[in-house]
Amino acid sequence: MFLLSKTERVGYNLNMLLTQRDFLVLAVFIGIGLVTHFSVLGWPDQVIFDEVHFGKFITAYCCTGERFFDIHPPHAKLLIAGTSWLGGYRGGFAFDHIGQVYEGVPIAAMRFVPAAAGMILPLVIFVVIRQLGASFGVALVGAAAVLLDNALTIQTRVIALDGVLLVATFGSLSAYLAGERAHGWHQAGYFLLAGALAGLAAGTKFTGLAALGLLGAIVVVRMLQRIDKQTVMAGITNGLLIVASALIVYLAGWVLHFALLPLPGSGDAFHVPHSLLPPQRPNPSSFLRETVALHKVMFTANYNLTATHPNASSWWSWPLMQMPVFYWTDTAGLRHIYFVGNPVVWWGVTLLFVVAVLVWIIQLGQRRREAASGIIWISVVGFCIAMLPLVRVPRALFLYHYLTPLLFSLLAGLVWLDRELARVRLTLAGQRRLIVGVLAVLLAGFLFMSPLTYGLKLGETTLEKDARLQTILFWLPGP
């Protein structure tokens, strides 16, 4: 069956076992992900959007050793720099402007880490949905929605950080949920993994702190659900394992950052690591002071950015996808790349999430036991932790800042929908027709938007006069 029976769902939720059918689906998603993310990964062979910034940072890590300044921590950039070096990149490219032609640059190697993250992300979402107690069919739809979202696809086919951020964030949640159902050393191992992935998320972007915040919230709720000495001590132990692992991973990235950038560079205009410039080896308390000092500069610079951008957007407009972000166009104006999602995914998830939360709140008000104990709260809390800090950020933000809240809203909506569908008691044939229909609509939306994802040729006219392009996105802003 596509939708598990109540007995199957409870058994899976307690034992957290993947069936042969689950592994088959994951294998299929890997195959499709290889096509959507790695095919013609070197196209366009020109600098796309933020590659103009991240390319310079990667060059510093792998080649020049010159210090730079960025408002984001180093971890994802270090991973990308590592694969770039292994792919043969040795610097020498300036990353001057969007549209600059790559010459002598293994661009596919530089885009490898984001593409790998994009391929892995649907698998992580599938497993998390199953861990939250939802059925196979709903997990299948959730993973397909991630795999067939155009915004997630383009963001993981260019040099960008969000793919690593999302895999680390939702991977940490998956590891924690696995730890709750494990015992002994296995349990400790899962919690250490959850903390390590949360540390990686925070080390990718500061918004990745949402991963650690969500794990902390779950630990606290678990202790409050059953207040006794054993539960409280277990919660404290688990929390310490998570925090310790996260700190180790987070600090390790900064150690590598300082070690790879010993030479003066443009970043010295913001902060010069004075204690690291003497030839003798600095002691750890010089290093920690430097890290804290640099963080203060990063937070201040991030918060006080005043630059505007024509594609910047307000947080309240993100669920409706009102302001796509221009990434690239060719010199003839016949091919274009925009950060814009699959409307079926973005608008459908938004509607489903609003309905799910409203019904859940009403049920809580009616003191329905099922609603109060329902696992939808994990996804709702995750959405709030990821979204609310962005509401108060004064600088220009973009549509891609909504990716983490979007996926939490997807989880919440689908877990709620799964329980509602269980009450309807559809026949096996009805379940299959429903799922196949949803998958077909998702695929149609992805293919419809794909010219703007892969930079495919739309017509023989310019961007402003291309009727087909304007039909795809009637609100599309010009570059």
Side-chain angles (χ1 to χ4, degrees), residues 172-224:
S172 68
L173 174 59
S174 178
Y176 178 86
L177 294 175
E180 283 195 328
R181 296 170 175 84
H183 303 281
W185 289 108
H186 288 91
Q187 183 178 64
Y190 278 123
F191 288 140
L192 287 172
L193 176 60
L197 289 171
L200 176 59
T204 299
K205 286 187 175 182
F206 285 128
T207 53
L209 287 169
L212 194 59
L214 177 59
L215 299 186
I218 299 175
V219 170
V220 171
V221 170
R222 296 301 192 224
M223 289 192 294
L224 293 177

Side-chain angles (χ1 to χ4, degrees), residues 363 366-374:
Q363 292 176 343
Q366 296 172 346
R367 299 182 181 277
R368 289 180 55 173
R369 182 176 180 181
E370 179 183 356
S373 61

Side-chain angles (χ1 to χ4, degrees), residues 147-348:
L147 181 65
L148 298 176
D149 180 61
N150 301 78
L152 287 167
T153 300
I154 183 54
Q155 198 66 2
T156 52
R157 282 180 55 89
V158 299
I159 305 174
L161 312 181
D162 300 274
V164 176
L165 171 68
L166 294 171
V167 169
T169 297
F170 291 92
S172 68
L173 174 59
S174 178
Y176 178 86
L177 294 175
E180 283 195 328
R181 296 170 175 84
H183 303 281
W185 289 108
H186 288 91
Q187 183 178 64
Y190 278 123
F191 288 140
L192 287 172
L193 176 60
L197 289 171
L200 176 59
T204 299
K205 286 187 175 182
F206 285 128
T207 53
L209 287 169
L212 194 59
L214 177 59
L215 299 186
I218 299 175
V219 170
V220 171
V221 170
R222 296 301 192 224
M223 289 192 294
L224 293 177
Q225 286 177 334
R226 182 179 177 182
I227 303 178
D228 57 51
K229 183 178 180 180
Q230 181 178 359
T231 302
V232 171
M233 290 303 298
I236 293 174
T237 301
N238 298 340
L240 289 176
L241 289 173
I242 292 170
V243 171
S245 180
L247 281 175
I248 291 172
V249 170
Y250 188 73
L251 291 177
W254 282 106
V255 170
L256 192 56
H257 168 87
F258 286 121
L260 292 176
L261 303 177
L263 302 179
S266 60
D268 290 351
F270 295 88
H271 176 75
V272 180
H274 295 287
S275 62
L276 299 181
L277 297 179
Q280 63 269 24
R281 183 169 51 189
N283 61 56
S285 62
S286 294
F287 167 77
L288 288 176
R289 282 197 294 267
E290 289 295 348
T291 304
V292 172
L294 182 55
H295 275 66
K296 292 179 180 178
V297 177
M298 293 170 66
F299 279 117
T300 301
N302 192 3
Y303 192 82
N304 293 327
L305 283 176
T306 58
T308 59
H309 192 282
N311 296 156
S313 55
S314 301
W315 63 269
W316 49 264
S317 69
W318 294 338
L320 299 178
M321 205 169 54
Q322 288 184 335
M323 182 58 73
V325 186
F326 166 68
Y327 271 18
W328 173 84
T329 189
D330 64 1
T331 55
L334 301 178
R335 296 178 175 88
H336 325 284
I337 292 180
Y338 276 81
F339 177 89
V340 63
N342 184 336
V344 178
V345 176
W346 286 61
W347 296 342

Side-chain angles (χ1 to χ4, degrees), residues 438-456:
V438 172
L439 295 179
V441 173
L442 288 172
L443 178 60
F446 177 80
L447 295 176
F448 191 65
M449 304 300 292
S450 61
L452 300 181
T453 304
Y454 294 95
L456 305 179

Side-chain angles (χ1 to χ4, degrees), residues 336-407:
H336 325 284
I337 292 180
Y338 276 81
F339 177 89
V340 63
N342 184 336
V344 178
V345 176
W346 286 61
W347 296 342
V349 167
T350 298
L351 177 61
L352 184 62
F353 180 63
V354 170
V355 172
V357 171
L358 288 177
V359 173
W360 180 62
I361 292 175
I362 292 173
Q363 292 176 343
L364 285 177
Q366 296 172 346
R367 299 182 181 277
R368 289 180 55 173
R369 182 176 180 181
E370 179 183 356
S373 61
I375 209 152
I376 185 178
W377 71 268
I378 292 178
S379 303
V380 174
V381 170
F383 175 88
C384 293
I385 293 176
M387 187 69 173
L388 291 180
L390 296 174
V391 173
R392 298 185 58 84
V393 174
R395 73 173 180 90
L397 297 176
F398 299 90
L399 190 60
Y400 52 73
H401 287 107
Y402 186 62
L403 288 177
T404 302
L406 174 69
L407 293 188

